[in-house]
Amino acid sequence: MHALSHGTTSTPTTIAVPPSLSLPVIEAAFPRQLHPYWPKCQEKTRAWLLEKRLMPAEKVEEYADGLCYTDLMAGYYIGASDEVMQAIADYSAWFFVWDDRHDRDIVHGRPLAWRTLRDRLHTALDSPGEHLHHEDPLVAGFADSVLRLYGFLPQTWNLRFARHFHAVIEAYDREFHNRTHGIVPTVEEYLRLRRLTFAHWIWTDLLEPTAGCELPDAVRKHPAYRRAALLSQEFAAWYNDLCSLPKEIAGDEVHNLGISLITHEGLTLEEAVGEVRRRVEECITEFLDVEQEALRFADDLADGTVRGKELSAAVRLCLGDMRNWFSSVYWFHHESGRYMVDSWDDRSTPPYVNNEAAGEK
């Protein structure tokens, strides 16, 4: 299936989506949008990666734009101010670089390097201002991006974000253990862990600075709002698993919904692909239903008070951006060089990564 996509140029390009991965409902019912600040955002994130030494200069030059990290965020947080959009885009780029370091530490058997990084990130999360000049660029870049994110909403939001990201770091540690020891988690174990390694609640938290409003617990925990948020993230995580299943099986991976289904439920590869796809499609269908319920909730919040009007508008914006996540994730997987494994010289080594651990040569 073909569809027009923004890509990384100002001219839309035609992207061919393999039939096994095409989702006509996304292409028909989830129109793609892109934040108008995106071209400047892409330029500034590229400069930020260089300034913070998060990728070697030659890697930034050759691969940064094609990885589409800013495209993914600019297609999601449409309602953000330019400043918030930039902070989120830089943080997201950092997250991908961190994910690559984690992967390389596993592949090259560097448990000490990983544990050191894990502990440093926990510390930097609670006191980012003290880690802006850390010797490890990944820690310094993290501190810089988190400190900027902490500047948009009250301390209560910052503490929640930190709590959620401490859990993400620990989940990455559990994944390190599983992959190092060849442990394939059961389906239920995997689903719980995936919500953390994919950082479901982090990306949901960031909807609030995008809307310029911290949502009270009663709003965030409303069943329709929370379900819509979860479904948008589950779709993204499981669609990622669907797209990456063949290469992860080839690479003896253990963390993929399809691999858990094959290992613990006795499914064939073909059956596992079908089951992951079914779950992906269910997320879309259920989201379309719960979205309507959540919009009615937003209407109910507008109770004639100034605060009610503010909350109603913020919830509507957050729901709109949850909807944007579906199309942004979908196209990202077919545009980003991160998933073009067949074009790599070595299928086990992404060409855009730095294989050295901090301090290792």
Side-chain angles (χ1 to χ4, degrees):
M1 183 170 293
H2 291 74
L4 288 180
S5 121
H6 290 284
T8 54
T9 69
S10 57
T11 305
T13 54
T14 302
I15 300 294
V17 180
S20 62
L21 301 175
S22 72
L23 296 171
V25 66
I26 294 292
E27 300 181 23
F30 293 80
R32 191 177 188 187
Q33 301 185 70
L34 206 59
H35 197 292
Y37 176 68
W38 169 72
K40 177 62 72 173
C41 183
Q42 183 186 54
E43 179 185 319
K44 287 195 171 184
T45 294
R46 193 189 315 122
W48 186 77
L49 287 167
L50 280 171
E51 177 196 343
K52 299 302 176 185
R53 297 180 294 120
L54 288 167
M55 291 174 69
E58 69 277 8
K59 303 278 189 188
V60 172
E61 177 67 28
E62 187 169 357
Y63 298 108
D65 288 356
L67 290 169
C68 301
Y69 296 159
T70 54
D71 305 49
L72 178 64
M73 294 296 114
Y76 183 15
Y77 298 101
I78 302 294
S81 68
D82 292 355
E83 185 184 15
V84 170
M85 182 73 257
Q86 190 64 61
I88 292 175
D90 290 350
Y91 168 75
S92 170
W94 172 87
F95 202 117
F96 279 110
V97 175
W98 175 50
D99 186 74
D100 291 334
R101 170 86 73 86
H102 176 259
D103 178 70
R104 294 296 94 187
D105 282 348
I106 293 168
V107 169
H108 294 294
R110 301 189 292 229
L112 179 58
W114 163 249
R115 286 196 297 270
T116 299
L117 177 60
R118 175 199 64 195
D119 294 345
R120 287 171 170 176
L121 292 178
H122 274 307
T123 304
L125 184 56
D126 291 329
S127 55
E130 298 173 17
H131 292 77
L132 294 173
H133 304 290
H134 195 279
E135 62 184 15
D136 185 341
L138 205 60
V139 177
F142 177 62
D144 178 82
S145 62
V146 167
L147 192 62
R148 287 156 62 199
L149 292 174
Y150 282 177
F152 298 119
L153 291 178
Q155 179 71 359
T156 44
W157 183 91
N158 296 347
L159 291 172
R160 175 172 21 116
F161 180 93
R163 185 173 71 251
H164 285 161
F165 201 77
H166 279 304
V168 171
I169 296 168
E170 285 305 300
Y172 263 69
D173 192 51
R174 291 198 294 279
E175 180 176 336
F176 191 100
H177 176 81
N178 286 348
R179 287 181 60 189
T180 300
H181 293 85
I183 299 169
V184 178
T186 66
V187 172
E188 288 308 311
E189 288 171 342
Y190 176 76
L191 294 178
R192 286 195 299 272
L193 187 59
R194 185 65 161 142
R195 287 171 183 167
L196 294 170
T197 57
F198 199 83
H200 281 24
W201 302 118
I202 289 294
W203 306 120
T204 302
D205 286 338
L206 289 169
L207 291 168
E208 293 170 61
T210 295
C213 177
E214 181 185 19
L215 299 178
D217 283 357
V219 173
R220 287 190 305 108
K221 295 180 179 179
H222 183 276
Y225 181 89
R226 191 169 178 83
R227 186 65 184 158
L230 179 62
L231 286 165
S232 73
Q233 296 298 321
E234 298 280 50
F235 164 81
W238 298 345
Y239 191 67
N240 176 271
D241 282 2
L242 184 66
C243 292
S244 59
L245 180 58
K247 81 175 177 67
E248 292 188 345
I249 288 176
D252 293 324
E253 252 283 17
V254 299
H255 269 242
N256 186 294
L257 177 55
I259 292 172
S260 288
L261 288 164
I262 291 167
T263 304
H264 294 288
E265 305 291 331
L267 272 60
T268 64
L269 173 59
E270 185 178 6
E271 289 168 340
V273 168
E275 174 60 15
V276 176
R277 185 182 175 97
R278 184 189 68 77
R279 290 178 184 237
V280 164
E281 291 173 339
E282 260 189 7
C283 283
I284 303 168
T285 303
E286 190 179 343
F287 177 84
L288 290 170
D289 288 338
V290 80
E291 178 187 35
Q292 296 307 309
E293 187 181 342
L295 288 169
R296 288 192 292 273
F297 169 58
D299 289 344
D300 292 342
L301 288 169
D303 57 4
T305 65
V306 172
R307 176 62 170 162
K309 182 179 180 181
E310 177 190 47
L311 286 177
S312 177
V315 168
R316 280 190 162 273
L317 191 147
C318 290
L319 289 168
D321 282 346
M322 288 176 202
R323 164 176 269 277
N324 291 333
W325 191 224
F326 285 85
S327 59
S328 193
V329 163
Y330 180 72
W331 291 115
F332 172 69
H333 280 84
H334 303 296
E335 293 174 349
S336 174
R338 194 173 180 85
Y339 302 100
M340 296 180 182
V341 184
D342 291 339
S343 68
W344 301 353
D345 291 339
D346 176 356
R347 290 174 65 90
S348 67
T349 305
Y352 50 83
V353 301
N354 180 2
N355 267 304
E356 298 172 354
E360 292 185 7
K361 297 295 179 187

